[in-house]
Each structure stands twice: as C-alpha cells, then as structure tokens.
Amino acid sequence: MALSAILAKFGSLVAVGTTEAKNTLQDYCEQRETGSPPINITFVECTYEEWKRVIHHEISTADCVLLYIAPKEDDFPTMKGREAAFPRMERYYSSPFKDLVTGSGLLREVLYLDRLQMIERTIIICNEEDTSYIESMIALTSTNTLFFMSTAQGPRAPTPRLWALDRQLARLRHAAGTVPFTSHDTASIRSRFASNLRRQVKRAIKRQSDGHGRTEAMDPSAPLPINVSDDPRRLPPDGELKIVSHTNVEDLIVIPNGEIMEVPPRKAQDMLSGRATRKGCPTCKGAVERIFFYIYGLRWNPDEHVRAKCQRCTSYLMIEERRLIEV
C-alpha cells in the first residue's frame, strides 16, 4: 500500500487479481486509521480464465509497469551438485532440460510485456537480498547456448538447457531498472526507496515521449494480440501478417516469424503416424498438443511443407513422411 502513497502524483495504480485478493484489499482499507491518506488503487477483478486477456489490456494502457519479484517460499531455489554442472558440447543436446522453478504466471506476464513493447517501461521491485540472484538468473537465461565456453575439461555449455517459458526471464535485461527494498525498515531507508522509485518511474514514462514507444506494427490502438481470428493480423514477434485461427495467441510462447497461416491441429495430426503423434516433439518429447503447426503464406497450399514450433523447447520442426523431424 506504500506504493500508492509514493506514486500518488503519477496517477492511480492498477492491481489485477481474484475476488479474494480484492476483498483482502477492501478489508485493509476499512481497518486503516481515520485520517490516513487515501489509497489510490484501482482493482480489476478477474477469474483465472480471464486473467490473460485482462493483463493484456492493462499492460497496453499503462504508462509504466511495476513488476514485483519474490520467492514463493522462504528463498529462491538454487542449482547444486550435478544440476550446476553444465554439459560438455558433445552431450549438450542430449542432456535433460533444466526447470528454473519460476512461476509460470510471472513468466507469461514478462512475455506479454515484451510483446506489447513495455519492457523498457517496466521496473523490477524486489528485496535487496534477492537482487543478485535475480540478476544472475536474467543473465543465465540471456546467454546464447549455441556458443560454448572453453574450460580445462573442454568446451562446455554456458547454461543448462532451458524450457521456452523459463527463457522469458532474459527479456528483463531490457527493463527500465530495478528498485530494491530492504527489510530494515527505517525512515531514511523508506525515504531512499521512495525517491529512487519515483525517479525510475518518471524516467520510464519519459522514454515514450522521447521516441522509445511502440513500433507502428505494434501500435497500442491496434487490436490486442490475443484470441483467434480467421483474418490476417499483425502479430509479434515481427509485426508481419499472420492467421492464427485455432490457438489463442496469448497461449503461444513462441510465434514463428514471417507471414504464416496456422494449420488446424487436427489436420496436422492426421498427417502424422500414430507413433509420431504419441512421441510428440522429437527434441523434448513434449505432447503433440503443445506444438504449433503452420505454413508460410496466408492461403492454404497443399504443396507447402507443414512446419511446426514446439512451445516447450522452441525446436523448429517439419512434417515429412508422416513423421516430425527437426529442421
């Protein structure tokens, strides 16, 4: 609630959550002392089924986004022993994927911030004790795993193999800044946090007026990149026309570049053998339902190769002789 007072001059804060969260906020407001400054928060209530659409709308209309990152338990998980050992080059592509155990909701929010070109107006708020861990995780996911480090034991991968959703943390390297707070709550510390946060918010909002806003293809007046449509739409990551008519765009983690047309999942699966369907992604063994099928172009062409993008591991695939093969 302190954020409301700190940022009062910038306008209203918008919070999105469940009915339970809304009731908790209302109870807090009712229990406050008479004469306390008003809490300048607009609460948008939504269900689990609605939150992706609501979050898109709120992000698209915001001047600045505050992203609070904290561990769900007492501390963030750490990689120990064998988990911390990055594989040798010749074993990298057969090594198991590493789960960073980051909340999927947070990772999707970061994905949406990037798609709506709001990362540069996003400010990370975290406990000072967690700052170095968060920065190391962002750096870890930002490393290009196609390059290998030379070590005394030979070339090794600079990162473990990470799932597509975990890699969304890398997008935060372009965030407007990080404002840490500390549990040592003194007047001087509170004042320093408040002034730092106000400065960062002011700078983030100013970036839009300085020409750091969204590109024409991702104009905020354009329809949100959500839901399905039979009509071509300019969609991330490149703003090219795409027809995504069977899978909600907000459920896709990786969208292919170029002018593409989604192939109906059932039609694509009918092109595969029963064994290929059961096996799923040849790279990560993910279920075939987690694979996005498409062709290049905006019209159905039976002679065009049906391609695919795995939403778990990002592998590029193609249907050939009723099998899924890596491209």
Side-chain angles (χ1 to χ4, degrees):
M1 305 307 156
L3 295 178
S4 173
I6 293 172
L7 301 175
K9 72 174 185 178
F10 293 101
S12 175
L13 293 181
V14 176
V16 177
T18 61
T19 301
E20 181 181 2
K22 180 180 180 180
N23 293 336
T24 299
L25 177 62
Q26 289 177 338
D27 291 342
Y28 173 82
C29 293
E30 292 172 359
Q31 294 170 9
R32 297 170 75 235
E33 296 180 5
T34 304
S36 298
I39 295 178
N40 191 22
I41 298 178
T42 300
F43 195 96
V44 179
E45 185 179 348
C46 67
T47 64
Y48 178 79
E49 291 74 22
E50 298 171 324
W51 81 268
K52 293 176 184 176
R53 174 184 59 79
V54 173
I55 285 293
H56 269 81
H57 173 74
E58 296 303 329
I59 290 174
S60 69
T61 57
D63 295 311
C64 178
V65 175
L66 305 180
L67 186 67
Y68 175 58
I69 301 181
K72 290 186 176 181
E73 306 296 335
D74 293 335
D75 203 354
F76 287 104
T78 57
M79 288 188 291
K80 299 178 181 179
R82 292 176 61 85
E83 292 181 340
F86 303 139
R88 294 184 180 183
M89 181 168 61
E90 67 271 17
R91 298 178 182 174
Y92 176 78
Y93 292 103
S94 60
S95 64
F97 283 85
K98 169 64 182 171
D99 190 345
L100 290 181
V101 200
T102 308
S104 60
L106 169 69
L107 293 171
R108 283 192 176 274
E109 288 168 359
V110 173
L111 169 63
Y112 301 155
L113 285 167
D114 186 67
R115 286 185 181 173
L116 295 169
Q117 298 185 8
M118 282 291 289
I119 287 288
E120 292 186 351
R121 282 187 277 156
T122 296
I123 297 169
I124 300 170
I125 297 178
C126 63
N127 193 308
E128 191 172 43
E129 297 175 354
D130 299 326
T131 304
S132 61
Y133 179 89
I134 292 170
E135 289 175 348
S136 67
M137 286 298 100
I138 293 173
L140 178 70
T141 56
S142 300
T143 305
N144 189 337
T145 55
L146 295 180
F147 294 91
F148 292 82
M149 301 181 297
S150 179
T151 70
Q153 294 76 33
R156 287 185 179 272
T159 74
R161 296 179 81 192
L162 299 174
W163 298 111
L165 195 56
D166 285 317
R167 286 199 166 276
Q168 302 313 308
L169 278 179
R171 302 173 188 270
L172 290 178
R173 68 188 184 275
H174 298 305
T178 300
V179 182
F181 61 88
T182 176
S183 54
H184 305 295
D185 195 9
T186 66
S188 61
I189 289 177
R190 288 197 301 269
S191 176
R192 192 158 55 246
F193 171 79
S195 60
N196 190 11
L197 181 58
R198 280 193 287 264
R199 182 171 61 254
Q200 294 276 19
V201 169
K202 183 178 180 180
R203 187 176 67 175
I205 294 175
K206 188 175 183 294
R207 291 184 67 84
Q208 183 181 23
S209 59
D210 287 345
H212 294 277
R214 299 157 187 163
T215 63
E216 183 178 350
M218 296 294 137
D219 190 287
S221 63
L224 292 173
I226 58 174
N227 301 331
V228 297
S229 175
D230 293 326
D231 299 321
R233 294 179 287 171
R234 295 198 177 276
L235 295 174
D238 52 359
E240 293 289 340
L241 291 173
K242 307 177 194 296
I243 299 177
V244 181
S245 53
H246 300 275
T247 306
N248 287 326
V249 177
E250 63 270 27
D251 292 331
L252 292 173
I253 300 170
V254 187
I255 304 175
N257 285 304
E259 287 192 351
I260 63 167
M261 176 181 183
E262 181 179 9
V263 175
R266 176 49 56 191
K267 178 189 287 286
Q269 291 179 34
D270 287 344
M271 298 178 183
L272 296 171
S273 68
R275 180 181 179 185
T277 301
R278 291 190 298 272
K279 183 178 178 181
C281 175
T283 304
C284 69
K285 307 300 186 290
V288 71
E289 289 78 14
R290 298 289 299 276
I291 299 174
F292 177 78
F293 295 94
Y294 65 98
I295 60 170
Y296 284 118
L298 301 176
R299 292 175 178 269
W300 173 250
N301 181 355
D303 297 324
E304 180 70 30
H305 281 297
V306 175
R307 303 171 189 271
K309 189 72 170 171
C310 178
Q311 299 299 299
R312 293 184 79 220
C313 68
T314 75
S315 291
Y316 278 108
L317 310 169
M318 182 183 293
I319 295 180
E320 188 171 285
E321 296 180 352
R322 296 182 61 79
R323 296 181 299 122
L324 269 174
I325 63 171
E326 294 183 70
V327 179

